[in-house]
Amino acid sequence: VLRTYSHFNYLEPVISQLCADGREVVALFDPRWASFESDQRVSYFQSNTPNFSYGQAVRPSDENWWYKRLAVSRELLSVASYLNRTDQSKFYLERWESYLPDRAQKVTSKGIFRYLLKSSVGQLMLRAFELLVPPSREITQWISDFKPDVVVASPANMRYGVEIEYVKASNALGVPTVIQVYSWDNLTNKGLIHQKPNALLAWNREHMREAITINKIDPSTISITGAPSFDKWFDSPEEIVAREDFCLRVGLNPEFPFVLYLGSSENISGDETWLIKALVTAVRSDSDSRLKNTGILLSLIHISEPTRLGMISYAVFCLK
């Protein structure tokens, strides 16, 4: 169960391997969020993979009294988590608060309610509400009828998503559940994982730490698997090039070492040019010839929003 068609790209290597092993894989996409994207990539994959199919996930009605309040309760719990993280930019807190309904934003902005939300008592009340709300009847019925061997959800912690509903319903039915960590920063700058899966697949030890400390996942259920979204680059020989060839391709001198500077998006870090200039000045003026001749490769992200989804373009520069 995936959020959008673009999320399919991250799990395509896993799905491809499952299909190659003779497994039947059915991918379901959240109709609320996937409707903004093209399914061309997924359709192409289906046409070349006989035991793969896809469709729309069942989504609880937005008019469902329980579901509407549970959705807000979950977002409040994610806000509470951000309130208790002193080592993270307040941008993420403010962004998640903006996802709340206007009435909830007004309430949480008041001192006493904000204090309650931040407290362990307030968070315990929100978690208790999660336990009180039964799984979606529609999703539970679908799983009962379809009888999957395992339900895999990803990302499962983004705002108002349906993936976590499948985890909740599957847990209630005794169907094994797996959550695949979607991206490198998904456990720190998105919402909480509100249902505990039987297994959580993390990329690395840092993911494991974040899953335990932030999302309260049982360590015994976490497996470190690497980053499946990068498998395709290592599995394809044509994507692997010698260091000298790569350096010549991007304009670096292969005789010297180089450093890679990975820029962030503007809404996180603002204008980074001052830091890049300072870095270049410091490197070029150093008395150590090894450092002075070090190449600097910049990978900068520019974000514009000509559509509702926005468009991300990457610009790579080389400083000689």
Side-chain angles (χ1 to χ4, degrees), residues 74-146:
R74 287 172 175 169
E75 304 313 326
L76 284 170
L77 197 54
S78 293
V79 168
S81 175
Y82 280 117
L83 284 171
N84 284 290
R85 290 184 232 170
T86 58
D87 59 344
Q88 194 160 11
S89 168
K90 67 176 183 178
F91 165 82
Y92 297 106
L93 167 63
E94 294 171 352
R95 181 178 67 175
W96 217 263
E97 284 185 306
S98 71
Y99 297 154
L100 295 170
D102 291 342
R103 185 180 299 179
Q105 289 186 45
K106 291 178 181 178
V107 170
T108 57
S109 65
K110 300 183 184 299
I112 182 63
F113 289 104
R114 202 168 185 82
Y115 175 80
L116 178 62
L117 184 61
K118 188 177 180 179
S119 70
S120 57
V121 174
Q123 293 171 56
L124 183 62
M125 292 169 60
L126 292 171
R127 291 193 178 94
F129 185 65
E130 175 80 45
L131 295 174
L132 288 173
V133 179
S136 162
R137 184 180 303 173
E138 301 95 331
I139 294 176
T140 301
Q141 187 63 55
W142 188 94
I143 295 172
S144 297
D145 293 341
F146 192 72

Side-chain angles (χ1 to χ4, degrees), residues 4 144 168 206 221 249 309:
T4 68
S144 297
K168 183 170 186 173
E206 186 63 19
T221 66
R249 181 188 299 178
L309 288 176

Side-chain angles (χ1 to χ4, degrees), residues 1-295:
V1 186
L2 301 167
R3 185 175 176 87
T4 68
Y5 295 121
S6 60
H7 288 132
F8 176 81
N9 296 336
Y10 282 75
L11 287 187
E12 184 178 349
V14 175
I15 294 172
S16 180
Q17 186 62 55
L18 287 169
C19 292
D21 290 342
R23 313 295 183 184
E24 180 184 356
V25 179
V26 177
L28 302 179
F29 297 90
D30 188 334
R32 176 174 180 177
W33 302 102
S35 61
F36 301 122
E37 297 182 357
S38 168
D39 66 343
Q40 184 176 1
R41 173 78 177 185
V42 185
S43 178
Y44 177 79
F45 182 86
Q46 181 187 45
S47 65
N48 291 278
T49 312
N51 46 337
F52 171 81
S53 60
Y54 72 98
Q56 288 193 340
V58 177
R59 186 176 179 87
S61 170
D62 289 335
E63 300 304 316
N64 183 302
W65 190 92
W66 284 103
Y67 177 70
K68 286 174 65 175
R69 282 149 184 80
L70 178 60
V72 175
S73 173
R74 287 172 175 169
E75 304 313 326
L76 284 170
L77 197 54
S78 293
V79 168
S81 175
Y82 280 117
L83 284 171
N84 284 290
R85 290 184 232 170
T86 58
D87 59 344
Q88 194 160 11
S89 168
K90 67 176 183 178
F91 165 82
Y92 297 106
L93 167 63
E94 294 171 352
R95 181 178 67 175
W96 217 263
E97 284 185 306
S98 71
Y99 297 154
L100 295 170
D102 291 342
R103 185 180 299 179
Q105 289 186 45
K106 291 178 181 178
V107 170
T108 57
S109 65
K110 300 183 184 299
I112 182 63
F113 289 104
R114 202 168 185 82
Y115 175 80
L116 178 62
L117 184 61
K118 188 177 180 179
S119 70
S120 57
V121 174
Q123 293 171 56
L124 183 62
M125 292 169 60
L126 292 171
R127 291 193 178 94
F129 185 65
E130 175 80 45
L131 295 174
L132 288 173
V133 179
S136 162
R137 184 180 303 173
E138 301 95 331
I139 294 176
T140 301
Q141 187 63 55
W142 188 94
I143 295 172
S144 297
D145 293 341
F146 192 72
K147 297 180 174 59
D149 294 302
V150 62
V151 170
V152 181
S154 185
N157 66 338
M158 294 178 71
R159 59 187 175 118
Y160 305 115
V162 76
E163 313 95 72
I164 202 66
E165 297 297 334
Y166 276 78
V167 176
K168 183 170 186 173
S170 298
N171 284 343
L173 292 170
V175 177
T177 54
V178 176
I179 289 179
Q180 168 71 64
V181 175
Y182 164 64
S183 71
W184 68 274
D185 61 349
N186 199 251
L187 294 177
T188 56
N189 68 15
K190 298 297 186 291
L192 295 179
I193 297 174
H194 299 288
Q195 289 289 318
K196 305 302 186 280
N198 296 118
L200 183 135
L201 307 182
W203 288 15
N204 48 42
R205 291 186 181 88
E206 186 63 19
H207 270 179
M208 186 174 188
R209 184 192 67 79
E210 294 164 358
I212 295 169
T213 58
I214 298 176
N215 289 276
K216 314 304 179 187
I217 301 294
D218 182 350
S220 67
T221 66
I222 303 173
S223 295
I224 296 176
T225 64
S229 58
F230 293 103
D231 286 352
K232 55 191 173 187
W233 287 310
F234 292 96
D235 290 341
S236 304
E238 63 273 12
E239 297 291 342
I240 301 175
V241 298
R243 182 182 186 279
E244 183 175 352
D245 292 339
F246 173 79
C247 289
L248 293 175
R249 181 188 299 178
V250 297
L252 292 166
N253 187 336
E255 295 183 8
F256 298 104
F258 70 90
V259 296
L260 174 64
Y261 180 96
L262 301 174
S264 187
S265 52
E266 186 178 358
N267 57 352
I268 301 297
S269 60
D271 186 356
E272 295 178 85
T273 55
W274 67 271
L275 181 56
I276 295 169
K277 290 176 180 178
L279 172 65
V280 174
T281 300
V283 170
R284 296 293 172 258
S285 60
D286 197 271
S287 58
D288 190 325
S289 60
R290 293 172 301 174
L291 184 59
K292 190 172 185 177
N293 291 307
T294 294

